[in-house]
Coordinates of all heavy atoms in Angstrom, one line a residue:
L251 N 5.3 41.6 4.8 CA 6.7 41.2 4.7 C 7.0 40.6 3.4 O 6.2 39.9 2.8 CB 7.0 40.2 5.8 CG 7.0 40.6 7.3 CD1 7.2 39.4 8.2 CD2 8.1 41.6 7.5
S252 N 8.2 40.9 2.9 CA 8.7 40.3 1.6 C 9.1 38.8 1.8 O 9.4 38.4 3.0 CB 9.8 41.1 1.1 OG 11.0 40.8 1.8
T253 N 9.1 38.1 0.8 CA 9.5 36.7 0.8 C 10.9 36.6 1.3 O 11.2 35.7 2.2 CB 9.4 36.1 -0.6 OG1 8.0 36.3 -1.1 CG2 9.7 34.6 -0.6
K254 N 11.8 37.4 0.9 CA 13.2 37.4 1.3 C 13.3 37.6 2.9 O 14.0 36.9 3.5 CB 14.0 38.4 0.6 CG 14.5 38.1 -0.7 CD 15.4 39.2 -1.3 CE 15.3 39.3 -2.8 NZ 16.0 40.4 -3.3
R255 N 12.5 38.6 3.3 CA 12.6 38.8 4.8 C 12.1 37.7 5.6 O 12.6 37.3 6.7 CB 11.8 40.1 5.1 CG 12.6 41.4 4.6 CD 11.8 42.6 4.9 NE 11.6 42.9 6.3 CZ 10.9 43.8 6.8 NH1 10.2 44.6 6.0 NH2 10.8 44.0 8.1
V256 N 11.0 37.0 5.2 CA 10.5 35.9 5.9 C 11.5 34.7 5.8 O 11.8 34.1 6.9 CB 9.1 35.4 5.2 CG1 8.7 34.1 5.8 CG2 8.1 36.4 5.4
L257 N 12.1 34.5 4.7 CA 13.1 33.4 4.6 C 14.3 33.7 5.5 O 14.9 32.8 6.1 CB 13.5 33.2 3.1 CG 12.4 32.5 2.3 CD1 12.7 32.5 0.9 CD2 12.2 31.1 2.8
Y258 N 14.8 35.0 5.4 CA 15.9 35.4 6.3 C 15.6 35.1 7.8 O 16.4 34.6 8.5 CB 16.3 36.8 6.1 CG 17.2 37.1 4.9 CD1 16.8 38.0 4.0 CD2 18.4 36.4 4.7 CE1 17.6 38.3 2.9 CE2 19.2 36.7 3.7 CZ 18.8 37.6 2.7 OH 19.6 37.9 1.7
K259 N 14.3 35.4 8.2 CA 13.9 35.1 9.6 C 13.9 33.7 9.9 O 14.3 33.2 11.0 CB 12.5 35.7 9.8 CG 12.3 37.0 10.5 CD 13.1 37.0 11.8 CE 12.8 38.4 12.4 NZ 13.8 38.8 13.4
L260 N 13.3 32.9 8.9 CA 13.3 31.4 9.1 C 14.7 30.9 9.3 O 15.0 30.0 10.1 CB 12.6 30.7 8.0 CG 11.1 31.0 8.0 CD1 10.4 30.5 6.7 CD2 10.4 30.3 9.2
I261 N 15.6 31.3 8.4 CA 17.0 30.9 8.4 C 17.7 31.3 9.7 O 18.5 30.5 10.3 CB 17.8 31.4 7.2 CG1 17.3 30.6 5.9 CG2 19.3 31.2 7.4 CD1 17.7 31.2 4.6
E262 N 17.4 32.5 10.2 CA 17.9 32.9 11.5 C 17.5 32.0 12.6 O 18.3 31.7 13.5 CB 17.4 34.4 11.8 CG 18.0 35.0 13.0 CD 17.4 36.4 13.1 OE1 17.6 37.2 12.2 OE2 16.8 36.7 14.2
M263 N 16.3 31.5 12.6 CA 15.8 30.6 13.6 C 16.3 29.2 13.4 O 16.5 28.4 14.4 CB 14.3 30.6 13.6 CG 13.6 31.9 14.0 SD 11.8 31.8 14.2 CE 11.3 31.4 12.6
D264 N 16.6 28.7 12.2 CA 17.1 27.4 11.9 C 18.0 27.4 10.8 O 17.7 27.1 9.6 CB 15.8 26.5 11.6 CG 16.2 25.0 11.4 OD1 17.4 24.6 11.6 OD2 15.3 24.2 11.1
N265 N 19.3 27.8 11.0 CA 20.2 28.1 9.9 C 20.7 26.8 9.2 O 21.3 26.9 8.2 CB 21.4 28.9 10.4 CG 22.3 28.2 11.3 OD1 21.9 27.2 12.0 ND2 23.5 28.7 11.4
L266 N 20.4 25.7 9.7 CA 20.8 24.4 9.1 C 19.7 23.8 8.2 O 19.9 22.7 7.6 CB 21.4 23.4 10.1 CG 22.7 23.9 10.8 CD1 23.1 22.8 11.8 CD2 23.8 24.2 9.8
N267 N 18.6 24.4 8.2 CA 17.4 23.9 7.4 C 17.7 24.3 5.9 O 17.5 25.4 5.5 CB 16.1 24.5 7.9 CG 14.9 23.9 7.2 OD1 14.9 23.7 6.0 ND2 13.9 23.7 8.0
E268 N 18.1 23.3 5.2 CA 18.5 23.5 3.8 C 17.3 23.9 2.9 O 17.4 24.6 1.9 CB 19.2 22.3 3.2 CG 20.5 22.1 3.8 CD 21.3 20.9 3.2 OE1 21.8 21.1 2.1 OE2 21.3 19.8 3.8
R269 N 16.1 23.5 3.3 CA 14.9 23.9 2.5 C 14.7 25.4 2.5 O 14.4 26.0 1.4 CB 13.7 23.2 3.1 CG 12.4 23.4 2.3 CD 12.5 22.8 0.9 NE 11.4 23.2 0.1 CZ 11.5 23.6 -1.2 NH1 12.6 23.6 -1.8 NH2 10.4 23.9 -1.8
Y270 N 14.9 26.0 3.6 CA 14.8 27.5 3.7 C 15.8 28.1 2.8 O 15.5 29.1 2.1 CB 15.0 28.0 5.1 CG 14.0 27.5 6.1 CD1 14.3 27.5 7.5 CD2 12.7 27.2 5.7 CE1 13.4 27.0 8.4 CE2 11.8 26.7 6.7 CZ 12.1 26.7 8.0 OH 11.2 26.2 9.0
H271 N 17.0 27.6 2.8 CA 18.1 28.2 2.0 C 17.8 28.0 0.5 O 18.0 28.9 -0.3 CB 19.5 27.5 2.3 CG 20.0 27.9 3.7 ND1 20.7 29.1 3.9 CD2 20.0 27.3 4.9 CE1 21.1 29.2 5.1 NE2 20.6 28.1 5.7
E272 N 17.3 26.8 0.2 CA 16.9 26.5 -1.2 C 15.9 27.5 -1.7 O 15.9 28.0 -2.8 CB 16.5 25.1 -1.4 CG 16.3 24.7 -2.8 CD 16.1 23.2 -3.0 OE1 16.1 22.4 -2.0 OE2 16.0 22.7 -4.1
L273 N 14.9 27.7 -0.9 CA 13.8 28.7 -1.3 C 14.4 30.1 -1.5 O 14.0 30.8 -2.5 CB 12.7 28.7 -0.2 CG 11.8 27.5 -0.1 CD1 11.0 27.5 1.2 CD2 11.0 27.3 -1.3
L274 N 15.3 30.5 -0.6 CA 15.9 31.8 -0.8 C 16.7 31.9 -2.0 O 16.7 32.9 -2.8 CB 16.8 32.2 0.5 CG 17.4 33.5 0.5 CD1 16.3 34.6 0.3 CD2 18.2 33.7 1.8
L275 N 17.5 30.8 -2.3 CA 18.3 30.8 -3.5 C 17.3 30.9 -4.8 O 17.7 31.6 -5.7 CB 19.1 29.5 -3.6 CG 20.3 29.4 -2.7 CD1 20.8 28.0 -2.6 CD2 21.4 30.4 -3.1
N276 N 16.2 30.3 -4.7 CA 15.2 30.4 -5.8 C 14.7 31.8 -6.0 O 14.5 32.3 -7.1 CB 14.1 29.4 -5.6 CG 14.4 28.0 -6.2 OD1 14.7 27.9 -7.4 ND2 14.4 27.0 -5.4
V277 N 14.5 32.5 -4.8 CA 14.1 33.9 -4.9 C 15.2 34.7 -5.6 O 14.9 35.6 -6.5 CB 13.8 34.5 -3.5 CG1 13.6 36.0 -3.5 CG2 12.6 33.8 -2.9
F278 N 16.4 34.5 -5.2 CA 17.5 35.2 -5.8 C 17.6 34.9 -7.3 O 17.8 35.8 -8.1 CB 18.9 34.9 -5.2 CG 19.1 35.4 -3.8 CD1 19.7 34.6 -2.9 CD2 18.6 36.6 -3.4 CE1 19.9 35.0 -1.6 CE2 18.8 37.1 -2.1 CZ 19.5 36.3 -1.2
R279 N 17.4 33.7 -7.7 CA 17.4 33.3 -9.1 C 16.2 34.0 -9.8 O 16.4 34.5 -10.9 CB 17.3 31.8 -9.2 CG 17.4 31.3 -10.7 CD 17.5 29.9 -10.8 NE 17.8 29.5 -12.2 CZ 17.8 28.3 -12.6 NH1 17.8 27.3 -11.8 NH2 18.0 28.1 -13.9
F280 N 15.1 34.0 -9.2 CA 13.9 34.6 -9.9 C 14.2 36.1 -10.1 O 13.8 36.7 -11.1 CB 12.6 34.4 -9.0 CG 11.4 35.1 -9.5 CD1 10.7 34.5 -10.6 CD2 11.0 36.3 -9.0 CE1 9.6 35.1 -11.1 CE2 9.8 36.9 -9.6 CZ 9.1 36.3 -10.6
D281 N 14.8 36.7 -9.1 CA 15.2 38.2 -9.2 C 16.4 38.4 -10.1 O 16.7 39.6 -10.3 CB 15.5 38.7 -7.8 CG 14.3 38.9 -6.9 OD1 13.1 38.8 -7.4 OD2 14.5 39.1 -5.7
D282 N 17.0 37.3 -10.6 CA 18.2 37.4 -11.4 C 19.3 38.2 -10.7 O 20.0 39.0 -11.3 CB 17.9 38.1 -12.8 CG 18.9 37.7 -13.9 OD1 19.5 36.6 -13.7 OD2 19.0 38.4 -14.8
D283 N 19.4 37.8 -9.4 CA 20.5 38.5 -8.6 C 21.6 37.4 -8.4 O 21.7 36.7 -7.4 CB 19.9 38.9 -7.2 CG 20.8 39.7 -6.4 OD1 22.0 39.7 -6.7 OD2 20.4 40.3 -5.4
Y284 N 22.5 37.4 -9.4 CA 23.5 36.4 -9.5 C 24.5 36.5 -8.3 O 24.9 35.6 -7.7 CB 24.3 36.4 -10.8 CG 25.3 35.4 -11.0 CD1 25.0 34.1 -11.2 CD2 26.7 35.7 -10.8 CE1 26.0 33.1 -11.4 CE2 27.7 34.7 -10.9 CZ 27.3 33.4 -11.2 OH 28.3 32.5 -11.3
V285 N 24.8 37.8 -8.0 CA 25.8 38.0 -6.9 C 25.2 37.5 -5.6 O 25.9 36.8 -4.8 CB 26.1 39.6 -6.8 CG1 26.9 39.8 -5.6 CG2 26.8 40.0 -8.0
A286 N 24.0 37.9 -5.2 CA 23.4 37.4 -4.0 C 23.2 35.9 -4.0 O 23.5 35.2 -2.9 CB 22.0 38.1 -3.7
F287 N 22.8 35.3 -5.1 CA 22.7 33.9 -5.2 C 24.0 33.2 -4.9 O 24.1 32.3 -4.1 CB 22.2 33.5 -6.6 CG 22.0 32.1 -6.9 CD1 20.8 31.5 -6.7 CD2 23.1 31.2 -7.2 CE1 20.6 30.1 -7.0 CE2 22.9 29.9 -7.4 CZ 21.7 29.3 -7.3
T288 N 25.1 33.6 -5.6 CA 26.4 33.0 -5.4 C 26.9 33.2 -4.0 O 27.4 32.2 -3.4 CB 27.3 33.6 -6.5 OG1 26.8 33.3 -7.8 CG2 28.7 32.9 -6.4
R289 N 26.8 34.4 -3.5 CA 27.3 34.6 -2.1 C 26.5 33.8 -1.1 O 27.2 33.2 -0.3 CB 27.1 36.1 -1.8 CG 27.6 36.5 -0.4 CD 27.5 38.0 -0.1 NE 28.1 38.8 -1.1 CZ 27.5 39.8 -1.7 NH1 26.2 40.1 -1.5 NH2 28.1 40.5 -2.6
H290 N 25.2 33.7 -1.3 CA 24.5 32.9 -0.3 C 24.8 31.4 -0.4 O 25.0 30.7 0.6 CB 23.0 33.1 -0.5 CG 22.2 32.4 0.6 ND1 22.0 33.1 1.9 CD2 21.5 31.3 0.7 CE1 21.3 32.3 2.6 NE2 21.0 31.2 2.0
Y291 N 25.0 30.9 -1.7 CA 25.4 29.5 -1.9 C 26.7 29.2 -1.2 O 26.9 28.2 -0.5 CB 25.4 29.1 -3.3 CG 25.9 27.7 -3.5 CD1 25.0 26.7 -3.4 CD2 27.2 27.5 -3.8 CE1 25.5 25.4 -3.6 CE2 27.7 26.2 -4.0 CZ 26.8 25.1 -3.8 OH 27.3 23.8 -4.0
E292 N 27.7 30.1 -1.5 CA 29.0 29.9 -0.9 C 29.0 29.9 0.6 O 29.7 29.1 1.3 CB 30.0 30.9 -1.5 CG 30.3 30.7 -2.9 CD 30.9 29.4 -3.3 OE1 31.6 28.8 -2.5 OE2 30.7 28.9 -4.5
D293 N 28.2 30.9 1.2 CA 28.1 30.9 2.7 C 27.4 29.7 3.2 O 27.8 29.2 4.3 CB 27.3 32.2 3.1 CG 28.0 33.5 2.8 OD1 29.2 33.5 2.6 OD2 27.3 34.5 2.9
L294 N 26.4 29.2 2.5 CA 25.7 28.0 3.0 C 26.6 26.8 2.9 O 26.7 26.0 3.8 CB 24.5 27.7 2.1 CG 23.8 26.4 2.3 CD1 23.2 26.3 3.7 CD2 22.7 26.2 1.3
K295 N 27.4 26.7 1.8 CA 28.3 25.6 1.7 C 29.3 25.6 2.8 O 29.6 24.5 3.4 CB 29.0 25.7 0.3 CG 29.9 24.6 0.0 CD 30.5 24.8 -1.4 CE 31.7 23.9 -1.7 NZ 32.3 24.2 -3.0
A296 N 29.9 26.8 3.1 CA 30.9 26.8 4.2 C 30.2 26.5 5.5 O 30.8 25.8 6.3 CB 31.5 28.2 4.2
L297 N 29.0 26.9 5.8 CA 28.3 26.6 7.0 C 28.1 25.1 7.2 O 28.4 24.6 8.3 CB 27.0 27.4 7.1 CG 26.0 27.0 8.2 CD1 26.6 27.5 9.5 CD2 24.6 27.5 8.0
L298 N 27.6 24.5 6.2 CA 27.3 23.1 6.2 C 28.6 22.2 6.4 O 28.6 21.3 7.1 CB 26.5 22.6 5.0 CG 25.1 23.2 4.9 CD1 24.5 22.8 3.6 CD2 24.2 22.8 6.1
L299 N 29.6 22.6 5.7 CA 30.9 21.9 5.8 C 31.4 22.1 7.3 O 31.9 21.1 7.8 CB 31.9 22.4 4.8 CG 31.6 21.9 3.4 CD1 32.6 22.6 2.4 CD2 31.7 20.4 3.2
K300 N 31.3 23.3 7.8 CA 31.8 23.5 9.2 C 31.0 22.8 10.2 O 31.5 22.1 11.1 CB 31.8 25.0 9.5 CG 32.3 25.4 10.8 CD 32.2 26.9 11.1 CE 32.5 27.1 12.5 NZ 32.0 28.4 13.0
E301 N 29.7 22.9 10.1 CA 28.8 22.4 11.2 C 28.5 20.9 11.0 O 28.3 20.2 12.0 CB 27.5 23.2 11.2 CG 27.6 24.7 11.5 CD 28.1 24.9 13.0 OE1 27.7 24.1 13.8 OE2 28.8 25.9 13.2
L302 N 28.3 20.4 9.8 CA 27.9 19.1 9.5 C 28.9 18.2 8.8 O 28.6 17.0 8.5 CB 26.5 19.1 8.8 CG 25.4 19.9 9.4 CD1 24.2 19.9 8.5 CD2 25.0 19.3 10.8
D303 N 29.9 18.8 8.3 CA 31.0 18.2 7.5 C 30.4 17.5 6.3 O 30.7 16.4 5.9 CB 31.7 17.1 8.4 CG 33.0 16.7 7.7 OD1 33.6 17.5 7.0 OD2 33.4 15.5 8.0
Q304 N 29.5 18.3 5.6 CA 28.9 17.8 4.4 C 28.5 19.0 3.5 O 28.3 20.1 4.0 CB 27.6 17.0 4.7 CG 26.4 17.8 5.2 CD 25.3 16.9 5.6 OE1 25.4 15.7 5.9 NE2 24.1 17.4 5.4
P305 N 28.5 18.8 2.2 CA 28.1 19.9 1.3 C 26.6 20.1 1.3 O 25.9 19.3 1.9 CB 28.6 19.4 -0.1 CG 28.5 17.9 0.1 CD 28.8 17.6 1.5
P306 N 26.1 21.1 0.6 CA 24.7 21.2 0.4 C 24.0 20.0 -0.2 O 24.7 19.3 -1.0 CB 24.5 22.5 -0.5 CG 25.8 23.3 -0.2 CD 26.8 22.2 0.0
N307 N 22.8 19.8 0.0 CA 22.1 18.6 -0.6 C 22.2 18.7 -2.1 O 22.4 19.7 -2.7 CB 20.7 18.5 -0.1 CG 19.8 19.6 -0.6 OD1 19.7 19.9 -1.8 ND2 18.9 20.1 0.3
P308 N 22.0 17.5 -2.8 CA 22.1 17.4 -4.2 C 21.1 18.4 -5.0 O 21.5 18.9 -6.0 CB 21.7 16.0 -4.6 CG 22.1 15.2 -3.3 CD 21.8 16.2 -2.2
S309 N 20.0 18.7 -4.4 CA 19.0 19.6 -5.0 C 19.6 21.0 -5.1 O 19.5 21.7 -6.1 CB 17.7 19.6 -4.3 OG 16.8 20.5 -4.8
I310 N 20.2 21.4 -4.0 CA 20.8 22.8 -4.0 C 22.0 22.8 -4.9 O 22.2 23.8 -5.6 CB 21.2 23.2 -2.5 CG1 19.9 23.4 -1.7 CG2 22.0 24.4 -2.5 CD1 20.1 23.6 -0.3
Q311 N 22.8 21.8 -4.9 CA 24.0 21.8 -5.8 C 23.6 21.8 -7.2 O 24.2 22.5 -8.0 CB 24.8 20.5 -5.5 CG 25.5 20.5 -4.2 CD 26.4 19.3 -4.0 OE1 27.2 18.9 -4.9 NE2 26.2 18.6 -2.8
A312 N 22.5 21.1 -7.6 CA 22.0 21.1 -9.0 C 21.5 22.5 -9.3 O 21.7 23.0 -10.5 CB 20.9 20.1 -9.2
L313 N 20.8 23.1 -8.4 CA 20.3 24.5 -8.6 C 21.4 25.5 -8.9 O 21.4 26.3 -9.8 CB 19.5 25.0 -7.4 CG 18.9 26.4 -7.4 CD1 17.8 26.5 -8.5 CD2 18.3 26.7 -6.1
Y314 N 22.5 25.4 -8.1 CA 23.6 26.2 -8.2 C 24.3 26.0 -9.6 O 24.6 26.9 -10.3 CB 24.6 25.9 -7.1 CG 25.9 26.6 -7.2 CD1 26.1 28.0 -6.9 CD2 27.1 25.9 -7.6 CE1 27.3 28.7 -7.0 CE2 28.3 26.6 -7.6 CZ 28.4 28.0 -7.4 OH 29.6 28.6 -7.5
Q315 N 24.5 24.7 -10.0 CA 25.1 24.4 -11.2 C 24.3 24.9 -12.4 O 24.8 25.5 -13.4 CB 25.4 22.9 -11.4 CG 26.3 22.6 -12.5 CD 27.6 23.3 -12.5 OE1 28.4 23.2 -11.5 NE2 28.0 24.0 -13.5
Q316 N 23.0 24.7 -12.3 CA 22.1 25.2 -13.4 C 22.1 26.7 -13.5 O 22.2 27.2 -14.7 CB 20.7 24.7 -13.1 CG 19.7 25.1 -14.2 CD 20.0 24.5 -15.6 OE1 20.2 23.3 -15.6 NE2 20.1 25.3 -16.6
Y317 N 22.1 27.4 -12.4 CA 22.2 28.9 -12.5 C 23.5 29.3 -13.1 O 23.6 30.2 -13.9 CB 21.9 29.5 -11.1 CG 21.6 31.0 -11.2 CD1 20.8 31.5 -12.2 CD2 22.0 31.8 -10.2 CE1 20.5 32.9 -12.2 CE2 21.7 33.1 -10.2 CZ 21.0 33.7 -11.2 OH 20.7 35.0 -11.2
R318 N 24.6 28.7 -12.7 CA 25.9 29.1 -13.2 C 26.0 28.8 -14.7 O 26.4 29.6 -15.5 CB 27.0 28.3 -12.5 CG 27.4 28.8 -11.1 CD 28.6 28.1 -10.6 NE 29.6 28.1 -11.6 CZ 30.8 28.6 -11.3 NH1 31.1 29.1 -10.2 NH2 31.8 28.6 -12.2
D319 N 25.4 27.6 -15.1 CA 25.4 27.3 -16.6 C 24.6 28.3 -17.3 O 25.0 28.8 -18.4 CB 24.8 25.9 -16.8 CG 25.8 24.8 -16.3 OD1 26.9 25.1 -15.9 OD2 25.3 23.7 -16.2
D320 N 23.4 28.7 -16.8 CA 22.5 29.7 -17.4 C 23.2 31.0 -17.5 O 23.1 31.7 -18.6 CB 21.2 29.8 -16.7 CG 20.3 28.6 -16.8 OD1 20.6 27.7 -17.6 OD2 19.3 28.6 -16.0
A321 N 23.9 31.5 -16.5 CA 24.5 32.7 -16.4 C 25.7 32.8 -17.4 O 25.9 33.7 -18.2 CB 25.1 33.1 -15.0
E322 N 26.4 31.6 -17.5 CA 27.5 31.5 -18.5 C 27.0 31.6 -19.9 O 27.6 32.3 -20.7 CB 28.3 30.3 -18.2 CG 29.6 30.1 -19.1 CD 30.4 28.9 -18.7 OE1 30.6 28.6 -17.6 OE2 30.7 28.2 -19.7
A323 N 26.0 30.9 -20.2 CA 25.4 30.9 -21.5 C 24.9 32.3 -21.9 O 25.1 32.7 -23.0 CB 24.2 29.9 -21.6
S324 N 24.3 33.0 -20.9 CA 23.8 34.3 -21.2 C 24.9 35.3 -21.5 O 24.9 36.1 -22.4 CB 23.0 34.8 -19.9 OG 22.6 36.1 -20.1
F325 N 26.0 35.1 -20.7 CA 27.2 36.0 -20.9 C 27.8 35.7 -22.3 O 28.1 36.7 -23.0 CB 28.2 35.7 -19.8 CG 29.5 36.5 -19.9 CD1 29.5 37.8 -19.6 CD2 30.6 35.9 -20.3 CE1 30.6 38.6 -19.7 CE2 31.8 36.6 -20.5 CZ 31.8 38.0 -20.2
K326 N 27.9 34.5 -22.6 CA 28.5 34.2 -24.0 C 27.6 34.7 -25.1 O 28.0 35.2 -26.1 CB 28.6 32.7 -24.1 CG 29.8 32.1 -23.3 CD 29.9 30.6 -23.6 CE 31.1 30.1 -22.7 NZ 31.2 28.6 -22.9
N327 N 26.3 34.6 -24.9 CA 25.3 35.1 -25.9 C 25.4 36.6 -26.0 O 25.4 37.2 -27.1 CB 23.9 34.7 -25.5 CG 22.9 35.0 -26.5 OD1 23.2 35.0 -27.7 ND2 21.7 35.3 -26.1
E328 N 25.6 37.3 -24.9 CA 25.7 38.8 -24.9 C 27.0 39.2 -25.6 O 27.0 40.1 -26.4 CB 25.7 39.4 -23.5 CG 24.3 39.4 -22.9 CD 24.4 39.9 -21.4 OE1 25.4 40.5 -21.0 OE2 23.4 39.6 -20.7
R329 N 28.1 38.5 -25.4 CA 29.4 38.8 -26.0 C 29.3 38.5 -27.5 O 30.0 39.2 -28.2 CB 30.5 37.9 -25.4 CG 30.8 38.4 -23.9 CD 32.0 37.7 -23.4 NE 33.2 38.0 -24.1 CZ 34.3 37.3 -24.1 NH1 34.4 36.3 -23.3 NH2 35.4 37.7 -24.8
A330 N 28.5 37.6 -27.9 CA 28.4 37.2 -29.3 C 27.8 38.4 -30.1 O 28.0 38.5 -31.3 CB 27.6 36.0 -29.5
H331 N 27.0 39.3 -29.5 CA 26.4 40.4 -30.1 C 27.3 41.6 -30.3 O 26.9 42.6 -30.8 CB 25.1 40.8 -29.4 CG 24.1 39.7 -29.4 ND1 23.3 39.4 -30.6 CD2 23.6 38.8 -28.5 CE1 22.5 38.4 -30.3 NE2 22.7 38.0 -29.1
F332 N 28.5 41.5 -29.8 CA 29.4 42.7 -29.9 C 30.4 42.5 -31.0 O 30.8 41.6 -31.4 CB 30.1 42.9 -28.6 CG 29.3 43.5 -27.5 CD1 28.8 42.8 -26.5 CD2 28.9 44.9 -27.5 CE1 28.0 43.3 -25.5 CE2 28.1 45.4 -26.6 CZ 27.7 44.7 -25.6

């Protein structure tokens, strides 16, 4: 089984366990899958706000912000070469 499949199964069993979500976000980041990373973060954020009336934990928020910053810097760097 792939890491993603295992994490999806764990999340299916315990969808409010932020550690599983954070691990999956790290897999998306490692794979450089910005779309999946962003989609999963936004889905998680909506779930936690709906179910627990709270945003993702600070560690997940920092991971999200760092990945956005990295992606933005990469995009700017690519544009500078044109």
Side-chain angles (χ1 to χ4, degrees):
L251 288 175
S252 75
T253 303
K254 282 184 209 172
R255 287 177 64 189
V256 169
L257 289 168
Y258 279 126
K259 256 313 183 200
L260 290 170
I261 289 168
E262 185 179 300
M263 292 187 299
D264 184 5
N265 71 336
L266 296 177
N267 186 319
E268 290 182 79
R269 184 66 187 137
Y270 299 154
H271 289 281
E272 187 171 1
L273 289 169
L274 184 57
L275 288 168
N276 276 300
V277 170
F278 291 141
R279 186 172 183 183
F280 180 80
D281 289 346
D282 204 22
D283 189 345
Y284 183 77
V285 172
F287 180 96
T288 303
R289 184 179 302 129
H290 190 79
Y291 176 83
E292 293 298 334
D293 289 347
L294 172 62
K295 183 177 167 185
L297 172 71
L298 294 174
L299 287 172
K300 178 183 175 203
E301 297 293 327
L302 304 176
D303 196 28
Q304 67 184 33
N307 70 45
S309 175
I310 292 174
Q311 290 182 48
L313 180 66
Y314 175 73
Q315 190 59 53
Q316 182 63 51
Y317 194 37
R318 283 187 52 122
D319 292 348
D320 291 349
E322 185 177 313
S324 177
F325 178 73
K326 285 180 181 178
N327 189 31
E328 288 176 16
R329 289 187 64 196
H331 293 286
F332 285 104

